[in-house]
Amino acid sequence: MARTPQATTAKEPGRLKQMYQVFTMTRRADPKSVWWFLLAFVGPVVLGVLLALLLPGQNWLAITLWILAGVLLGVLLFLIVLGRLAERAAYSQIAGQPGAVGAVLSNSLRRQWRSSEMPVAVHGRSQAAVYRAVGTPGVVLITEGQRGNLKRQVDEERRKVQRIVPNVPVHVVHVDDDSDGVTLHKLPRAMNKYKKALNRNEVLAVANRLDSLTQSPASAIPKGMDPMRARAGRPR
């Protein structure tokens, strides 16, 4: 009996190819990033060469080590700058879209934070939303969309949190391009600037209490169901 040919699975790109794809995406989103990449790599290499040539009493082995250390440091700084600028470029592409704040909360916050990519309040017409995160600074409410449409939702969420956990500080962060707002890629930094008020165990306790006593707008929709495609059952 002849064997049926097995379908060949597509190979995942290697690490170097992935880095090149990230570099290309970042360069397209921000052409000025190339100069930061050059500075991050060339600066340490030049410094290593200067130290190797200018320091007295150097032999060929010391010169080689200085240059090698400069190259390794340049590669390390290049990877750090690549990661930071790639993250900024990726967030700039989704800025202003519904759910962008949820993507940041689920991917870029530290372990000390407890949050969800689903909003706790939504303005129906404008799709503006309010998200909630719990961390060592307390409870942070993050707005996404037109701020004027969310004043009532923010006030209700603040009162709800203060009623459930009355001794926990509540902060509000507005994600927009206004002078008193924060851009999407600066959101984690803005949340971590608040003064510490809770320890790790208290963060977990507050997050669990809020999750158990509150209900997000999306929690009523069963997982895996598309509400736009739901159909009524056939009459028997």
Side-chain angles (χ1 to χ4, degrees):
M1 184 176 179
R3 295 182 179 179
T4 56
Q6 296 180 352
T8 58
T9 57
K11 263 190 174 183
E12 293 185 359
R15 184 63 58 86
L16 293 178
K17 189 173 182 179
Q18 290 179 357
M19 290 176 54
Y20 178 75
Q21 292 174 350
V22 173
F23 171 80
T24 304
M25 182 272 295
T26 307
R27 185 185 59 184
R28 290 176 180 174
D30 183 12
K32 295 181 181 179
S33 62
V34 176
W35 298 107
W36 289 105
F37 294 143
L38 287 175
L39 181 62
F41 178 74
V42 176
V45 174
V46 173
L47 179 62
V49 172
L50 291 177
L51 290 175
L53 297 179
L54 298 180
L55 289 178
Q58 299 289 320
N59 53 23
W60 65 270
L61 180 59
I63 293 175
T64 303
L65 292 177
W66 276 115
I67 296 175
L68 181 61
V71 172
L72 294 177
L73 181 59
V75 172
L76 178 61
L77 290 181
F78 172 81
L79 294 177
I80 294 175
V81 173
L82 177 62
R84 295 289 181 85
L85 296 183
E87 184 181 36
R88 179 180 300 184
Y91 286 149
S92 66
Q93 295 179 359
I94 65 174
Q97 300 180 13
V101 170
V104 175
L105 296 180
S106 60
N107 295 319
S108 297
L109 288 183
R110 299 174 182 173
R111 295 182 179 179
Q112 61 184 4
W113 288 93
R114 297 291 182 271
S115 62
S116 172
E117 61 181 352
M118 302 302 297
V120 294
V122 178
H123 185 266
R125 293 184 179 180
S126 64
Q127 293 185 343
V130 180
Y131 295 81
R132 185 180 65 216
V134 182
T136 53
V139 179
V140 181
L141 302 176
I142 307 102
T143 65
E144 174 186 75
Q146 297 181 1
R147 192 183 309 181
N149 296 331
L150 293 172
K151 186 178 185 307
R152 182 177 61 84
Q153 284 84 352
V154 171
D155 292 340
E156 288 181 356
E157 288 300 322
R158 187 197 295 270
R159 288 194 297 268
K160 186 187 302 181
V161 171
Q162 291 175 344
R163 184 177 67 252
I164 297 174
V165 283
N167 297 324
V168 177
V170 181
H171 312 278
V172 179
V173 177
H174 303 286
V175 176
D176 51 36
D177 296 329
D178 295 340
S179 57
D180 58 341
V182 298
T183 54
L184 194 62
H185 71 276
K186 291 183 179 180
L187 176 59
R189 189 186 311 172
M191 295 172 61
N192 288 316
K193 281 184 178 180
Y194 290 112
K195 185 178 179 181
K196 183 177 179 180
L198 304 175
N199 57 37
R200 183 177 300 179
N201 294 331
E202 291 172 339
V203 169
L204 185 60
V206 170
N208 291 338
R209 183 169 177 80
L210 288 174
D211 291 339
S212 62
L213 297 180
T214 59
Q215 188 176 20
S216 66
S219 60
I221 303 176
K223 294 182 179 180
M225 176 182 292
D226 188 347
M228 301 303 293
R229 296 184 179 181
R231 297 179 180 178
R234 295 180 179 180
R236 295 181 179 178

